[in-house]
């Protein structure tokens, strides 16, 4: 099946900080690991359950800039580990 994505995905294995926008504190970040990234989104492994439609803020290094994203799909990998695809807003 041919790739129909607008932007090419690039494999990535980077530790990244994120927080759900419904978090109690805007400083309360969790850690995730990227699986792949593109200009329009990313796929991450997370250690907390999320659901489609959740909004997140990713803290990107090296300049600690924030990027907003919305969860488009979630797959439970094992207890306490989730793989989530998100689109940048």
């Amino acid at each position: 099946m041919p790739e129909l994505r607008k932007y090419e995905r690039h494999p990535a294995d980077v530790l990244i900080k994120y927080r759900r926008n419904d978090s109690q504190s805007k400083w309360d970040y969790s850690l995730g690991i990227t699986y792949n990234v593109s200009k329009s989104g990313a796929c991450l492994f997370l250690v907390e359950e999320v659901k489609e439609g959740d909004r997140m803020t990713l803290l990107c290094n090296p300049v600690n800039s924030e990027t907003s994203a919305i969860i488009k799909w979630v797959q439970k990998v094992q207890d306490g580990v989730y793989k989530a695809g998100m689109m940048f807003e």
Side-chain angles (χ1 to χ4, degrees):
M1 176 185 256
E3 181 66 51
L4 300 176
R5 293 177 180 269
K6 185 174 181 179
Y7 299 107
E8 183 179 354
R9 290 177 287 181
H10 302 281
D13 184 9
V14 177
L15 190 63
I16 192 165
K17 290 183 180 180
Y18 72 91
R19 71 174 158 80
R20 291 169 43 172
N21 288 1
D22 62 357
S23 175
Q24 297 286 345
S25 167
K26 72 178 210 170
W27 307 110
D28 188 20
Y29 283 93
S30 298
L31 295 175
I33 298 175
T34 59
Y35 179 72
N36 63 45
V37 296
S38 74
K39 286 178 108 176
S40 61
C43 180
L44 273 68
F45 286 103
L46 310 172
V47 293
E48 67 179 289
E49 187 173 3
V50 294
K51 62 184 183 302
E52 291 179 20
D54 283 352
R55 286 186 154 62
M56 304 181 81
T57 299
L58 307 175
L59 187 61
C60 304
N61 282 322
V63 293
N64 287 333
S65 64
E66 291 186 342
T67 300
S68 295
I70 185 168
I71 303 291
K72 301 307 271 183
W73 58 267
V74 180
Q75 174 186 1
K76 183 176 180 178
V77 177
Q78 65 184 41
D79 287 344
V81 179
Y82 301 87
K83 187 176 180 182
M86 57 194 69
M87 182 175 69
F88 300 141
E89 297 185 295

